[in-house]
Amino acid sequence: MQSRDKKRIAIITARGGSKRIPKKNIRSFCGKPILTYSIRAALDAGIFDRVMVSTDSEEIAQIALEAGAEVPFMRSDATSGDYATTAEVLLEVLAEYEKNGECFDTVCCIYPTAPFVTVQKLRDGIELLEEQDVDSVVPVVRYSFPPQRAFVIRDGLTVMKYPQHAGSRSQDLEPFYHDCGQFYCMQVENFKEKKQIFTDRMLSIEMPETEVQDIDNETDWKLAELKYQMMGK
């Protein structure tokens, strides 16, 4: 278990507006509102002084409170729109707590549609962040197919984006990774200064593809439930 000399907050970002999947953040996922999985993982990790939900929705706030999270204030109009960034939401939350005299050393942003987040993943992320003294720690997953072998369509013809790799073996190509879209652990002071999650002082934790699923449509949702069931949850 990590040292408790650091003060830590988990912020779960769950606004009410969702165009592609209505009420996405509280829709039932394998029998429970999907938001509650992120809340329970953060609470059960036992490493956060605060577990709060940032939302502009009274309905989401009520579900969050019932699951054990705090909702000490509602999200402002400025951070509730379609173009508000995650960084802006986090900065607003940290500023509100500071107004009440409460400051944090470490912040962990957890997305509300991240049922694959576990207690151990959160503990590992915080431990890596604080032991290595970097700006942030981000879970990543390897691209299932080498991007260096990608095709593009130009003037109606299909051509290789990187023809220099036409004869390369897949196992000889550098692995590429992308953000899992689950959670981010950050040093608060560095984050407030740079106002960015992704910096040049960032480490990652690699996740298996079976525990990663971007949820943007109905098919994604069904795939996520299947993967979750495969995990034996």
Side-chain angles (χ1 to χ4, degrees), residues 27-226:
R27 177 173 170 172
S28 177
F29 181 93
C30 292
K32 295 187 294 184
I34 195 167
L35 168 67
T36 63
Y37 292 88
S38 297
I39 294 173
R40 287 314 319 170
L43 290 171
D44 292 345
I47 58 175
F48 298 109
D49 297 275
R50 301 283 187 186
V51 175
M52 73 86 66
V53 171
S54 170
T55 185
D56 58 340
S57 163
E58 293 289 349
E59 185 177 12
I60 290 176
Q62 185 59 41
I63 290 173
L65 290 169
E66 291 171 358
E70 301 177 8
V71 188
F73 45 83
M74 300 300 285
R75 191 183 294 192
S76 70
D77 291 341
T79 58
S80 298
D82 293 339
Y83 299 102
T85 66
T86 297
E88 289 170 340
V89 173
L90 300 181
L91 289 167
E92 177 180 74
V93 170
L94 293 171
E96 286 295 323
Y97 274 97
E98 287 177 9
K99 287 179 184 177
N100 295 318
E102 192 165 11
C103 299
F104 300 92
D105 301 290
T106 305
V107 57
C108 183
C109 170
I110 308 174
Y111 282 146
T113 53
F116 300 105
V117 171
T118 64
V119 164
Q120 194 58 52
K121 289 174 182 176
L122 293 175
R123 289 177 177 173
D124 289 346
I126 292 293
E127 183 174 20
L128 184 60
L129 175 78
E130 295 178 354
E131 286 189 353
Q132 298 300 319
D133 192 27
V134 291
D135 290 346
S136 58
V137 171
V138 178
V140 300
V141 62
R142 185 182 298 205
Y143 279 98
S144 58
F145 188 84
Q148 298 96 322
R149 304 292 298 276
F151 292 116
V152 294
I153 298 176
R154 293 176 180 156
D155 299 325
L157 296 177
T158 301
V159 297
M160 291 199 73
K161 173 67 174 177
Y162 307 105
Q164 66 270 32
H165 293 302
S168 300
R169 301 187 309 166
S170 295
Q171 58 266 40
D172 294 333
L173 296 172
E174 179 184 13
F176 281 25
Y177 302 85
H178 64 86
D179 172 19
C180 291
Q182 295 183 0
F183 67 92
Y184 312 112
C185 302
M186 292 164 287
Q187 301 279 6
V188 169
E189 287 307 312
N190 292 336
F191 173 62
K192 286 167 59 180
E193 177 186 349
K194 298 178 180 178
K195 297 179 173 54
Q196 293 180 347
I197 295 171
F198 305 138
T199 72
D200 55 2
R201 297 187 66 254
M202 179 174 68
L203 294 178
S204 63
I205 301 174
E206 184 175 358
M207 301 292 175
E209 193 173 356
T210 52
E211 297 178 19
V212 176
Q213 181 62 52
D214 194 24
I215 305 178
D216 285 327
N217 54 49
E218 292 294 334
T219 298
D220 292 341
W221 194 280
K222 292 174 183 177
L223 285 172
E225 287 187 313
L226 286 172

Side-chain angles (χ1 to χ4, degrees), residues 9-30:
I9 183 172
I11 302 173
I12 301 166
T13 56
R15 77 184 184 100
S18 179
K19 303 292 192 299
R20 289 173 290 191
I21 302 178
K23 295 190 176 182
K24 173 182 176 180
N25 291 331
I26 52 175
R27 177 173 170 172
S28 177
F29 181 93
C30 292

